[in-house]
Amino acid sequence: MEVGQMQRTWVEYIKSLFREGFLDSQFSQLQLLQDESNPDFVVEVVTLFFQDSERLLNDLTRVLEFPNVDFKKVDAHVHQLKGSSSSIGAQRVKNSCIRFRMFCEERNIDGCLKCLQQLKEEYYTVKNRLEALIRLEQQIVAAGGSIPIEELTF
């Protein structure tokens, strides 16, 4: 595939991520912070988000397995995940965290377990979609092109 076609594919793909609610304007702000002096900024931030999120999801799974659930600890983990997902613009993950925290406040274990499952689904979906976006960006750069951020108008 030629560079121009890859760039058009990238624009359509990222627009779909916004249209489908996976990403919000915070992700656009991250992209604007990337420049020649730090060309891997977004990849680095997203990679840290992946690492942090996987740790938090594992911690949540473990804490919710205890017979006496510490809802304050659950809420603290969910709050941290909500913050990190907000900071990269992972809108659907953030929204799942908001619902999850309501069940923590109610001390509703069944609601928390359902929210944990939904949160994992949203997280792994956005992770796969962002990894595909990063791979496409790497292909564009490897072919000598640049990422057409200026073409993103919403």
Side-chain angles (χ1 to χ4, degrees), residues 54-126:
E54 305 229 355
R55 178 187 53 79
L56 288 166
L57 289 171
N58 289 333
D59 290 349
L60 280 166
T61 301
R62 204 169 27 259
V63 171
L64 286 169
E65 289 173 348
F66 289 124
N68 294 321
V69 173
D70 182 346
F71 286 98
K72 286 186 180 188
K73 189 175 278 189
V74 173
D75 186 61
H77 291 317
V78 176
H79 181 70
Q80 192 175 356
L81 185 55
K82 178 181 162 261
S84 60
S85 59
S86 293
S87 70
I88 72 148
Q91 183 174 9
R92 287 167 70 163
V93 173
K94 177 188 77 175
N95 291 342
S96 291
C97 289
I98 292 169
R99 284 188 294 280
F100 200 150
R101 291 191 74 201
M102 290 188 322
F103 284 109
C104 285
E105 288 175 21
E106 296 170 2
R107 303 178 68 81
N108 180 334
I109 186 68
D110 291 331
C112 285
L113 290 169
K114 286 178 187 169
C115 279
L116 177 60
Q117 188 59 40
Q118 180 187 12
L119 181 57
K120 286 180 178 181
E121 290 171 17
E122 292 294 353
Y123 166 73
Y124 286 109
T125 300
V126 80

